[in-house]
Amino acid sequence: MDRPGGRGTEPDRTGPDLSRPAPDADVDEGRRTRSFGRLIPCPLAPHRRSPCTRSNQIARHGGPEVLSVREIPRPTPGVGEVLIRTVASSLNPVDWKTRAWEVGPQLPATLGWDPAGVVTASHHSRYRPGDQVIAMSAQLATSRGTWTEQVSQPARLLAAAPTTLALALALALALALALALALALALEDAAALPLAGITAPQALSRAAVTDGDNALITGAAGAVGGIAVRLARRTGATVDALVARLEHLDAARELGAKDVWHIRADLPRRTCTAVLDTAGIDTCPALAPGGRYISISDPPAPTSDSKQAALAQARKWSALRS
């Protein structure tokens, strides 16, 4: 889950409620999953022998009240696709934005991008029933949300579920980069990795962060920001961080940030050769002349009357979304 550093982009915590089983369901006890030090409800979806499956959907845009659990036909995997019994699915900013804003696939729509679960049927030689997998569904493009008991996904969007964080980011879906941590990773926790784990290396690649850079990452206590701090450090760059709250300072330092601030006005000016903004915060004054500014936040983009900010804005890529 990505929790950007800016208060204005903090997602609400409304997620799928699949914890109330149908009478014929075989249900495992509800669980909780940890995403960079913060626990969020993530109940284990039941495996139901039924022509239908339950999904958390929206039929209109609005607040949390527009979410409802509905019975829909159980998906059938097509050629090259895999059917997954969902064990856990994360909540990302794109989910609450899709719910609240007039964007996204045709309604009614199932939300969610990141499933982790068990293969129950496969039309691809790489995956067999019983395999534990994760995926990044690209819900806005595919209309296949993951807040559902069962979801069918193209095999190209899947990867074997990692069992340690050392393997978690070495996905066939993303760049071949990985966190150098040897911590056990449960399947429920793995659901927090796909979207954030792809976005962070993609953004750093576009920012061309490398040895010798002084990089600033905003929202460094969130999922994308936290992964980006670790990966940027592995390039040899010096990494500084901006977080939303005082209590996030230590978390960013533990991830590898050298200097950490929680007040934007305290940032040193014109010192950063690269900025990765995951929180929608205008940090242009911190950018050195000729620096690179990458943002995964939503419009409006940072603006300023200063010449330096204009240069930064000209270099900004805003195609990425979290």
Side-chain angles (χ1 to χ4, degrees):
M1 287 181 48
D2 184 7
R3 293 181 298 278
R7 295 179 184 270
T9 57
E10 183 75 4
D12 61 67
R13 300 299 165 199
T14 302
D17 180 8
L18 300 176
S19 58
R20 300 184 62 186
D24 63 340
D26 296 325
V27 184
D28 290 306
E29 184 178 354
R31 301 186 182 179
R32 299 171 71 81
T33 185
R34 181 178 298 274
S35 177
F36 290 88
R38 190 165 184 174
L39 289 169
I40 59 167
C42 196
L44 195 67
H47 185 188
R48 308 172 62 210
R49 296 177 178 88
S50 167
C52 295
T53 189
R54 291 183 301 170
S55 295
N56 199 306
Q57 292 192 329
I58 58 171
R60 59 186 175 88
H61 298 284
E65 70 280 357
V66 304
L67 288 162
S68 63
V69 177
R70 300 182 174 198
E71 294 270 353
I72 64 172
R74 184 172 59 188
T76 300
V79 176
E81 294 185 346
V82 175
L83 183 65
I84 304 168
R85 173 173 61 86
T86 305
V87 171
S89 185
S90 65
L91 170 63
N92 292 286
V94 67
D95 297 311
W96 72 261
K97 292 171 185 176
T98 303
R99 186 210 71 213
W101 299 353
E102 297 292 332
V103 297
Q106 183 177 353
L107 302 180
T110 302
L111 302 183
W113 285 58
D114 294 337
V118 180
V119 173
T120 60
S122 176
H123 291 171
H124 194 280
S125 59
R126 186 184 305 163
Y127 301 104
R128 297 180 179 180
D131 288 348
Q132 294 189 349
V133 296
I134 59 176
M136 200 283 284
S137 72
Q139 185 258 3
L140 292 180
T142 65
S143 300
R144 299 187 185 189
T146 62
W147 293 358
T148 181
E149 291 175 335
Q150 299 180 75
V151 61
S152 180
Q153 296 285 333
R156 61 183 174 81
L157 299 181
L158 272 64
T163 55
T164 68
L165 277 178
L167 300 176
L169 297 184
L171 307 177
L173 311 174
L175 301 180
L177 298 172
L179 296 178
L181 298 174
L183 301 177
L185 193 69
L187 188 59
E188 291 87 345
D189 297 312
L193 287 170
L195 183 57
I198 291 171
T199 303
Q202 284 180 341
L204 289 174
S205 176
R206 293 201 176 193
V209 174
T210 188
D211 186 17
D213 272 320
N214 182 20
L216 173 68
I217 297 174
T218 72
V224 175
I227 294 172
V229 169
R230 285 281 187 163
L231 295 181
R233 280 293 307 275
R234 287 176 62 81
T235 69
T238 299
V239 182
D240 296 332
L242 180 67
V243 295
R245 300 175 180 85
L246 183 64
E247 57 266 30
H248 291 170
L249 294 175
D250 288 342
R253 293 190 183 103
E254 290 174 3
L255 289 169
K258 179 185 177 187
D259 295 322
V260 186
W261 299 269
H262 73 288
I263 299 174
R264 182 178 60 173
D266 292 342
L267 291 172
R269 299 177 64 86
R270 301 168 65 87
T271 59
C272 300
T273 56
V275 172
L276 170 55
D277 171 36
T278 74
I281 298 174
D282 184 353
T283 53
C284 288
L287 193 65
R292 290 96 61 198
Y293 193 111
I294 304 299
S295 178
I296 63 168
S297 65
D298 299 286
T303 58
S304 173
D305 293 333
S306 70
K307 180 178 179 181
Q308 178 57 32
L311 175 61
Q313 180 63 18
R315 293 177 177 269
K316 177 179 179 293
W317 288 316
S318 59
L320 296 176
R321 289 292 183 267
S322 66

